[in-house]
Amino acid sequence: MENKYQKVKDGLKKDIISGRFQVNEKLPTESELMNRYKVSRYTVRRAVGDLESDHFIYRIQGGGMFVQDWHKDWSTPDTKLIGVITTHIADYIFPNIIAGIDQVLSKAGYSILISNTHDGHASERQCLISMLDSRVAGLIVEPTQSALPNPNQDLYHEIKDDDLPMLFINSYYPTMNFPYVNTNDTLAEQKMVDYLLAQGHQIILGIFQVDDLQGVDRMNGFVRAYQQRPELSYMSNIIMYQSGDTSQKLFERISGYLNQDDAPTAIVCYNDQLAIEVIDFLKSQHLQVPMDISVVGFDNYRMGEYLTPSLTTLNHEKERMGTDAGNMLIKLLNHEPVKSITYQPELVKRDSVVQR
């Protein structure tokens, strides 16, 4: 079945080649093409963009679209551009992931266009529109607030309808049928809590960001570990937060648990970035890690190895995720079948946990 994007592209190309529109003649506007083909503006822009690259169409700023002299030999090397959208770019685990993607795609002759959403749906929409307007050949996207309803589903449906190769990393949107590369967050977090319980910690505080699926799955792993020990389950404590919450607000909630008679002896953090902040906060409260309270993270952030104490964590396949995502996208570009990949993170034992 011909998709919407191809229908618009083929229809316009046929009109140009047949002579319905002559060289240098003005073409219908985007809105007119949207009404004619019953498609979105992004579908029209992608079709027109391809025809512009193929030298059937040219644009005049403020003047519209016109028929190019398509009989002329416009032979030039193909440009290959892949869009990469993550929640952040310059910090934490993201440079390693992006480097892995770039390493694979550059060897295959592609360049990458990078954008970030700052974990906000409005920014995600602008990123997607910008990528589509740039006529990328494919997309690698990290979902934004993946545990919440997504207002940008219309764009993802357009991408799907247009057969634009795309995959998710780190997580996925459950309602969207795209391949993904992620980690088994639930089983990994259960493994971490099992380890803490084996070290004699019974009262454990879990802190999880719950507006993305990674946080929800990690929280579920925390709960599952206690479910297997019903005699201890009443000792578990959980703080849920969202990406827009301030650290100060979070620390106030942590303080409430620390001041209780049955204060936690260990804190499980959503990721290493949060764990580092929590350790600094505990030190400001004159608590020693791990002698007074143990702290663990998730992602095996490089800085965690050099902290005092070094951070116990769960491994995140950062570079491998990038290379696997790059290789998967190349297969999609070549119309080859792919299967989603889920890693099984390993526990990284360091000095931020002490036996009780």
Side-chain angles (χ1 to χ4, degrees):
M1 180 179 175
E2 188 178 40
N3 60 51
K4 296 177 182 178
Y5 143 75
Q6 196 67 42
K7 181 180 179 181
V8 177
K9 179 180 176 180
D10 291 346
L12 276 174
K13 186 174 180 179
K14 181 180 178 181
D15 287 343
I16 292 171
I17 293 175
S18 67
R20 179 179 178 185
F21 297 114
Q22 298 294 318
V23 173
N24 295 323
E25 183 178 348
K26 188 173 182 179
L27 291 167
T29 65
E30 286 184 353
S31 296
E32 289 169 340
L33 292 173
M34 289 165 59
N35 290 330
R36 175 179 171 182
Y37 290 100
K38 307 301 181 186
V39 296
S40 73
R41 186 175 303 277
Y42 313 111
T43 297
V44 169
R45 287 182 176 178
R46 186 182 175 204
V48 168
D50 274 11
L51 290 172
E52 186 177 10
S53 297
D54 294 339
H55 302 286
F56 283 92
I57 289 174
Y58 68 93
R59 302 173 193 256
I60 296 177
Q61 188 171 1
M65 302 177 292
F66 297 82
V67 177
Q68 181 67 278
D69 185 1
W70 53 275
H71 299 281
K72 182 178 176 181
D73 183 8
W74 293 94
S75 299
T76 57
D78 290 337
T79 58
K80 297 182 178 181
L81 188 64
I82 301 298
V84 178
I85 301 175
T86 57
T87 54
H88 303 282
I89 293 177
D91 60 356
Y92 200 46
I93 63 174
F94 299 101
N96 303 82
I97 297 173
I98 293 170
I101 293 171
D102 183 58
Q103 183 179 20
V104 171
L105 293 179
S106 61
K107 285 182 180 179
Y110 291 90
S111 299
I112 62 174
L113 178 63
I114 305 172
S115 187
N116 65 304
T117 68
H118 299 291
D119 215 15
H121 284 141
S123 294
E124 179 190 49
R125 188 171 192 85
Q126 290 304 313
C127 289
L128 288 169
I129 291 172
S130 177
M131 292 296 181
L132 293 172
D133 285 347
S134 298
R135 303 191 298 278
V136 294
L139 281 168
I140 297 175
V141 178
E142 181 189 28
T144 292
Q145 295 181 308
S146 52
L148 302 180
N150 188 285
N152 302 320
Q153 290 194 42
D154 59 323
L155 294 180
Y156 286 109
H157 288 314
E158 289 291 340
I159 290 168
K160 192 71 174 179
D161 289 344
D162 292 345
D163 288 336
L164 182 66
M166 199 196 88
L167 61 93
F168 291 124
I169 56 171
N170 274 329
S171 188
Y172 57 90
Y173 294 120
T175 59
M176 301 176 194
N177 186 25
F178 290 99
Y180 56 83
V181 183
N182 71 346
T183 62
N184 191 333
D185 292 293
T186 301
L187 186 60
E189 200 67 82
Q190 181 180 350
K191 184 187 300 185
M192 176 64 81
V193 178
D194 285 342
Y195 169 66
L196 291 173
L197 292 168
Q199 297 303 304
H201 297 276
Q202 296 184 343
I203 306 175
I204 303 173
L205 173 63
I207 309 174
F208 302 101
Q209 181 178 316
V210 293
D211 53 354
D212 66 42
L213 280 181
Q214 298 105 300
V216 172
D217 289 342
R218 292 170 190 181
M219 181 175 65
N220 288 337
F222 179 97
V223 171
R224 186 180 295 178
Y226 270 104
Q227 283 178 326
Q228 294 182 353
R229 299 167 178 83
E231 74 282 2
L232 300 178
S233 58
Y234 73 96
M235 297 183 182
S236 64
N237 299 288
I238 291 177
I239 292 176
M240 293 180 280
Y241 71 99
Q242 297 200 13
S243 54
D245 294 339
T246 64
S247 297
Q248 184 59 38
K249 183 178 179 180
L250 198 55
F251 295 154
E252 290 173 0
R253 297 177 66 189
I254 294 172
S255 293
Y257 286 97
L258 297 178
N259 293 328
Q260 294 178 354
D261 292 337
D262 54 348
T265 62
I267 298 179
V268 173
C269 296
Y270 162 68
N271 61 17
D272 290 354
Q273 198 168 40
L274 175 61
I276 292 170
E277 293 183 35
V278 168
I279 289 174
D280 284 342
F281 169 72
L282 293 173
K283 289 179 178 179
S284 74
Q285 302 301 301
H286 308 292
L287 292 170
Q288 294 185 344
V289 178
M291 299 310 298
D292 294 325
I293 186 166
S294 296
V295 177
V296 300
F298 199 120
D299 289 335
N300 197 14
Y301 180 36
R302 184 169 297 175
M303 186 181 295
E305 184 178 355
Y306 303 104
L307 294 177
T308 302
S310 56
L311 184 63
T312 295
T313 186
L314 287 151
N315 193 46
H316 185 290
E317 301 286 355
K318 295 172 277 293
E319 293 86 352
R320 182 182 171 190
M321 175 175 284
T323 56
D324 283 347
N327 285 319
M328 184 183 292
L329 189 65
I330 289 173
K331 287 185 176 180
L332 290 173
L333 290 164
N334 293 330
H335 307 288
E336 299 176 21
V338 299
K339 290 184 178 180
S340 296
I341 299 172
T342 298
Y343 304 123
Q344 306 299 326
E346 293 298 321
L347 182 62
V348 181
K349 300 176 184 178
R350 296 199 183 108
D351 300 329
S352 64
V353 173
V354 69
Q355 189 170 19
R356 302 299 291 185

